[in-house]
Amino acid sequence: MSKISRFVNSSWEGLKISLSALGINKTRSFLTTLCIIIGIVMVTLMNAVSNGMDAEFDKSMAMMGQNVVYVEKHPWNRGPNYEWWKYRSRRDIKLDYVEDIRESSRLASAVSASASRGTSIRYEDVSADGVFIAGVTDKYFDTAGLDIEMGRAFTPEEIQRGAKVTVLGATLAENLFDRKNPLNEEVRIGGQRFRVIGLLEKQGKFLGLADMDRRAITPIKAYGQLFSLRSNIQIAVKFPNEEILEEGEYEIEGIMRRVRGLDATEDNDFELNKPQAFEAQLASFKAGLYMVGGGLTALSLIIGGIGVMNIMFVSVRERTKEIGIRKAVGAKAWEILYQFLIEAVIMCLLGGLIGLLLSYPLSMLLNQIFVASIDISVVIAAIILCSIVGLVFGFIPAYRAAKSDPIESLRYE
């Protein structure tokens, strides 16, 4: 018999013996692989969340408009050292700055202002709470990158006089009107009637959290009649392309410093925010996720590996006489080693398979709350990881079986 044929036969026999041994001790095998299952579930869900966030990020950034700088009172990046009292004492952003920027900027292609807050909206007997309402100036739909699916946007005349008209997001329209056409229907916002003139194209959730389709947009003067315009105003400045964006940011900073009357020694009392700021926050979140999740996964796999090693020692001791018989009839040491390694690897792979089967419905459930997407590479990585755990922790028991004395093994009772 050639070496290749012997290796194939040994592999097949080792696989049958391993499956038989695991089948005899089902409960013991399951309990042994429990930590492997937990570890695989954790590493799979961790990667699913990471993949889901990466896929959602570009889509979410597009919701904020392309090549846009936002002039605001507060920064978006509010880490653990955020000095809220410092920013709270700043002067508010004024609506008049829109015209100042339009007249002074050479690079901006569109400038708009908006103010927003949460509110409730009612249509007949149906009410929607927690709605994001924004009062906007002209050019807002350009700077925000919003498209109208049905109906129309505001006319300059409606913006100027503060007409009681509104454009609704897809989710909000569905909640209020079900399947009814909402155009030209009237909804109540803050007790006042607003006529629906348009519906936005569906956007989805921002970073898997906030539903961007649960919104209503009105002219900013109409918004100001319901809510205060003294604070919380955001100015959006859009540039033609990414190459101009950086230069445009410096230009807007200079214009704002002049408008605010700041001298050369004074710091900015306003903030220039960009969607790219979320990249750092996303990277920080993912680093923390991998640190915590990776540590718990490693701990689970190590504990599971130790359990596999312990059971393999028990298995070797229980089958000592079998090992002696196999050696007596001509089995090589590497065949014994290979047989027990196969058993350890299969035990870990079964745990990994159960973990993967559990991970799929859990990731689907998680995707309803946040964002999660299982990639085929995660499945392959989990299989490889389980195989490595089986080889590493199964080697010492398998090596002991391979090096056992056949005569002593035959005497074992």
Side-chain angles (χ1 to χ4, degrees):
M1 181 183 295
S2 67
K3 291 183 179 180
I4 296 177
S5 299
R6 182 161 187 169
F7 178 79
V8 172
N9 289 335
S10 296
S11 300
W12 178 244
E13 289 299 322
L15 179 62
K16 290 194 295 184
I17 293 171
S18 300
L19 291 174
S20 176
L22 294 174
I24 293 172
N25 302 290
K26 296 183 182 69
T27 304
R28 187 177 75 179
S29 300
F30 173 76
L31 293 176
T32 302
T33 59
L34 193 56
C35 283
I36 301 288
I37 295 171
I38 295 172
I40 294 302
V41 168
M42 292 180 65
V43 74
T44 304
L45 292 182
M46 180 179 66
N47 278 275
V49 170
S50 178
N51 290 339
M53 291 178 67
D54 287 338
E56 194 74 16
F57 183 77
D58 291 338
K59 179 182 174 183
S60 296
M61 292 305 98
M63 295 179 188
M64 305 189 68
Q66 296 293 322
N67 308 314
V68 179
V69 172
Y70 295 91
V71 183
E72 296 180 80
K73 183 176 179 179
H74 295 270
W76 288 348
N77 189 5
R78 303 183 183 186
N81 299 320
Y82 179 68
E83 299 174 345
W84 60 269
W85 59 90
K86 170 183 173 182
Y87 301 104
R88 186 177 182 181
S89 62
R90 286 177 168 179
R91 289 176 288 170
D92 292 325
I93 301 296
K94 296 181 180 179
L95 200 57
D96 297 339
Y97 297 162
V98 173
E99 289 304 319
D100 292 323
I101 294 173
R102 282 178 180 171
E103 292 174 0
S104 303
S105 177
R106 299 177 297 102
L107 303 174
S109 59
V111 184
S112 71
S114 64
S116 59
R117 56 166 292 166
T119 189
S120 60
I121 296 181
R122 189 176 187 85
Y123 172 70
E124 295 181 348
D125 295 331
V126 182
S127 179
D129 298 320
V131 176
F132 177 82
I133 183 170
V136 305
T137 64
D138 61 323
K139 303 297 183 182
Y140 174 79
F141 291 92
D142 294 332
T143 58
L146 295 174
D147 294 316
I148 303 293
E149 181 179 5
M150 183 186 301
R152 61 177 178 85
F154 311 126
T155 65
E157 188 270 336
E158 287 172 334
I159 292 284
Q160 185 63 32
R161 66 182 174 87
K164 297 294 195 301
V165 290
T166 183
V167 175
L168 304 182
T171 301
L172 177 60
E174 183 180 340
N175 292 344
L176 290 175
F177 298 96
D178 196 11
R179 298 182 180 181
K180 183 179 180 180
N181 186 346
L183 294 183
N184 295 316
E185 296 290 336
E186 288 189 340
V187 296
R188 286 189 174 272
I189 305 175
Q192 297 190 25
R193 294 178 181 274
F194 281 73
R195 182 167 58 90
V196 179
I197 63 169
L199 292 182
L200 294 171
E201 283 189 355
K202 194 170 183 64
Q203 289 191 296
K205 292 184 177 181
F206 183 77
L207 294 178
L209 298 172
D211 188 352
M212 300 300 287
D213 298 310
R214 193 176 176 82
R215 64 160 76 180
I217 302 173
T218 68
I220 199 164
K221 287 186 179 180
Y223 175 95
Q225 293 175 17
L226 300 175
F227 313 108
S228 173
L229 285 176
R230 295 179 59 186
S231 61
N232 201 31
I233 289 179
Q234 177 193 75
I235 297 176
V237 185
K238 183 179 178 66
F239 298 95
N241 53 57
E242 191 173 354
E243 288 71 26
I244 298 177
L245 178 62
E246 185 174 353
E247 183 182 353
E249 185 178 353
Y250 287 115
E251 182 191 57
I252 299 304
E253 182 179 10
I255 294 171
M256 285 299 300
R257 288 185 63 85
R258 177 179 58 78
V259 169
R260 303 274 271 193
L262 300 174
D263 61 40
T265 61
E266 291 181 291
D267 293 331
N268 292 342
D269 63 349
F270 57 90
E271 207 71 32
L272 297 182
N273 293 316
K274 293 188 296 184
Q276 288 79 358
F278 286 104
E279 290 183 10
Q281 296 184 26
L282 178 67
S284 177
F285 178 82
K286 286 175 65 177
L289 176 69
Y290 279 115
M291 185 180 299
V292 176
L296 293 174
T297 298
L299 182 62
S300 297
L301 292 177
I302 289 172
I303 295 174
I306 292 172
V308 169
M309 180 187 290
N310 181 55
I311 290 302
M312 290 307 298
F313 274 123
V314 173
S315 181
V316 169
R317 188 172 64 250
E318 290 176 345
R319 291 150 64 186
T320 300
K321 196 162 188 176
E322 174 194 321
I323 294 168
I325 294 171
R326 291 195 66 194
K327 283 194 169 186
V329 297
K332 301 292 185 182
W334 70 264
E335 292 179 296
I336 304 297
L337 175 73
Y338 191 46
Q339 173 194 328
F340 283 97
L341 280 179
I342 289 176
E343 187 171 329
V345 170
I346 287 177
M347 190 181 300
C348 292
L349 285 175
L350 287 174
L353 180 60
I354 295 172
L356 289 171
L357 291 175
L358 291 174
S359 297
Y360 184 72
L362 288 175
S363 67
M364 293 181 65
L365 178 63
L366 187 60
N367 193 48
Q368 302 301 314
I369 305 170
F370 190 47
V371 285
S373 174
I374 293 182
D375 190 81
I376 187 64
S377 61
V378 178
V379 177
I380 295 172
I383 293 172
I384 294 173
L385 191 59
C386 288
S387 300
I388 292 173
V389 171
L391 289 172
V392 171
F393 289 92
F395 180 78
I396 295 177
Y399 184 79
R400 176 175 292 185
K403 292 300 180 180
S404 61
D405 183 84
I407 297 176
E408 292 299 323
S409 298
L410 287 169
R411 291 175 178 172
Y412 183 81
E413 292 295 339

